[in-house]
Amino acid sequence: MTEKEKMLAGEVYSATDPELLSELNEVKDAIHRYNALLPSQRRERLNRIE
């Protein structure tokens, strides 16, 4: 069972697992890009939510 599977099952898992850290960094990057959009970029903000 992978650390991600353990996490999703509510079991004890290692948060320093390379797969989980990679996914965490991808999400952080996406959030950063979203937050960097200007208020006038409303269309781009809405498109990223969908």
Side-chain angles (χ1 to χ4, degrees):
M1 179 177 269
T2 67
E3 297 302 308
K4 184 173 182 176
E5 290 170 336
K6 291 177 191 176
M7 178 189 72
L8 293 173
E11 297 178 13
V12 176
Y13 66 95
S14 171
T16 59
D17 177 68
E19 177 188 9
L20 294 177
L21 289 175
S22 175
E23 289 187 24
L24 176 62
N25 284 326
E26 287 176 28
V27 170
K28 285 182 175 182
D29 287 350
I31 291 169
H32 180 79
R33 285 190 299 273
Y34 177 82
N35 287 333
L37 291 172
L38 298 171
S40 61
Q41 293 176 294
R42 187 174 191 281
R43 180 173 292 138
E44 289 87 346
R45 283 185 175 268
L46 293 173
N47 287 338
R48 292 201 184 192
I49 292 172
E50 299 172 339

